[in-house]
Amino acid sequence: MSSANDRRYQDALKAMESLEQAGFATRLAGGCVRDRLLGKLPYDYDLATVARPEEVMAHFRAKKLSTVPTGADHGTITLVTPSGPIEITTLRKDVATDGRRAEVAFGSSFAEDAARRDFTINALFEDSQGRIDDYVGGQDDLKRGVLRFVGDPTTRMREDYLRILRLFRFWSTLGFRPDAATLAAVADAKDGLKVISQERVTQEWTKMAAGKCLAEALQAMISGGVFATILPEVSPCTMPATAELLKWQGTTLPAVGVLAGLCLSDGIHDAKRLQKLAERMRMSRSDARTLAHFAQARDALIAAKFKETADKLEFVDSCEQVAGQGSLSKLFAPVLGTFAECRQMLSEIQGAEMQFGHRRHAVMPINGKDLAKASGLLQGPELGRQLLRLKRAFYNGDWQTKEEGLHWIKSTF
């Protein structure tokens, strides 16, 4: 758990020691402790303290440090440090829950705070000397690679049904597995996910889709009915081969790539349906366009109307206009290439890009003004059409210099 070179840990340690010296018991809490025990560098550091939010703010204000009351009503203050923000949360206990949010009361017991957390591996605390406080057996579960709810699984899920997806996310990202009893409880509670906001569901899907053990987690989600609950448009879902799933995950946008692969595998080939699905999932506009383009690209590949080099290079252009430079090879091809009906044409397009892609990246030496002057055409649709013809001819290698291009267009009017 050495963190000598981790500046974020050093800043968290200073904040913890500062509160301790002021008489407020404080510990590292949750995921950062879990990751340190696993030998991983934590993404961020959170502190749990007996100090109330106003006490935390007053303490650091006196030390000329900036704090932000990001969730003061629920006990969370964000301390601004040189290495980044640190969330400091007052110990809490649940008063009432409704499956989406909890009404909490501030407490003074680390054991009570641990009892309200989701999984045993996330209910660990660490003091400034590196000593671990474990009230729920989280260290043993870490060693065994087990995902276990704190206390009764059904009670924990009823407090916040998003914990169902968090279970599958940790399964996917950490490779930890729940036991059969936990999975049975999850299957019984799955309908509770319907009360969770779509934004929170999509956030969990996005994290889950990049996990190293997604195949196992996804199979359990499908067989337990959880997948159908969060993605009814793609259900019943056929579990893809692991090799295919890994290719979809290997894209620059795993959440979009995996979803596109699952949709196309199950016969969802209509771009409008994919667009609506993305919008329902509250994806960004960019990701929604990208998901829909998988269907459009598939249709184009199956039609196989790419007779000229220009056709193939324009297909690459269409992908990059949607998802940025390199998106054919890094996003669309890894998914579409797993489907036999797309594979041959896709291979030809990638071959053309490899051989003639430099033409796409070159600046065409004729612009609209040049063409208007040489042809007498005024600005308008016809000039645009002729420019497009010039571009296709340029892609095809019919001309290279400005003089050759103007001669080509005049000779083909």
Side-chain angles (χ1 to χ4, degrees), residues 184-207:
V186 164
D188 289 341
K190 63 181 181 299
D191 286 345
L193 285 166
K194 295 175 182 177
V195 306
I196 301 298
S197 74
Q198 185 56 54
E199 288 83 358
R200 295 178 75 197
V201 171
T202 297
Q203 286 173 3
E204 291 299 323
W205 168 256
T206 299
K207 295 173 183 177

Side-chain angles (χ1 to χ4, degrees), residues 34-53:
R34 176 199 69 221
D35 288 347
R36 281 168 52 76
L37 287 170
L38 290 173
K40 299 171 58 177
L41 188 67
Y43 177 75
D44 54 22
Y45 289 88
D46 296 328
L47 299 180
T49 182
V50 299
R52 300 299 176 95

Side-chain angles (χ1 to χ4, degrees), residues 48-312:
T49 182
V50 299
R52 300 299 176 95
E54 63 274 12
E55 292 174 322
V56 173
M57 295 185 73
H59 173 79
F60 287 110
R61 189 183 303 119
K63 295 183 175 297
K64 310 298 183 185
L65 294 174
S66 177
T67 58
V68 181
T70 46
D73 291 345
H74 292 89
T76 300
I77 300 298
T78 299
L79 173 66
V80 180
T81 75
S83 63
I86 296 172
E87 286 194 352
I88 304 174
T89 302
T90 304
L91 295 175
R92 298 176 292 183
K93 52 187 177 182
D94 289 338
V95 175
T97 59
D98 64 2
R100 290 180 294 177
R101 60 184 70 85
E103 180 185 341
V104 299
F106 297 144
S108 58
S109 166
F110 286 94
E112 283 187 347
D113 192 88
R116 66 176 296 276
R117 292 176 179 258
D118 52 7
F119 305 107
T120 59
I121 62 172
N122 294 336
L124 301 167
F125 301 95
E126 180 183 345
D127 68 13
S128 58
Q129 303 304 309
R131 184 177 66 84
I132 302 298
D133 291 331
D134 180 2
Y135 304 98
V136 293
Q139 291 183 94
D140 286 341
D141 288 340
L142 276 178
K143 293 174 183 176
R144 296 186 299 131
V146 171
L147 270 177
R148 186 166 60 88
F149 283 105
V150 175
D152 177 58
T154 301
T155 301
R156 290 286 83 78
M157 287 183 284
R158 284 176 179 169
E159 291 168 349
D160 183 356
Y161 285 110
L162 190 69
R163 287 171 172 171
I164 295 172
L165 293 187
R166 284 171 61 82
L167 178 138
F168 289 105
R169 189 240 294 182
F170 286 123
W171 187 347
S172 176
T173 57
L174 296 178
F176 285 26
R177 298 191 62 183
D179 59 23
T182 298
L183 284 178
V186 164
D188 289 341
K190 63 181 181 299
D191 286 345
L193 285 166
K194 295 175 182 177
V195 306
I196 301 298
S197 74
Q198 185 56 54
E199 288 83 358
R200 295 178 75 197
V201 171
T202 297
Q203 286 173 3
E204 291 299 323
W205 168 256
T206 299
K207 295 173 183 177
M208 185 191 311
K212 61 182 179 181
C213 295
L214 176 62
E216 273 192 301
L218 183 60
Q219 178 64 73
M221 287 177 70
I222 293 171
S223 59
V226 174
F227 187 86
T229 303
I230 64 169
L231 281 164
E233 299 94 333
V234 198
S235 297
C237 179
T238 303
M239 184 66 193
T242 300
E244 293 177 351
L245 188 61
L246 287 172
K247 289 178 181 178
W248 303 347
Q249 282 188 281
T251 63
T252 49
L253 292 172
V256 178
V258 171
L259 184 57
L262 293 173
C263 288
L264 296 179
S265 293
D266 285 342
I268 304 176
H269 302 148
D270 182 76
K272 290 182 178 179
R273 285 183 66 186
L274 292 181
Q275 179 77 29
K276 287 181 179 179
L277 170 59
E279 291 171 354
R280 202 269 298 165
M281 290 182 69
R282 302 290 194 272
M283 286 184 170
S284 67
R285 290 184 179 180
S286 174
D287 286 355
R289 287 195 303 270
T290 300
L291 184 63
H293 192 71
F294 275 97
Q296 295 168 339
R298 174 189 175 278
D299 287 346
L301 291 171
I302 292 175
K305 294 180 179 178
F306 302 92
K307 305 304 181 185
E308 299 182 344
T309 298
D311 299 319
K312 299 168 185 176

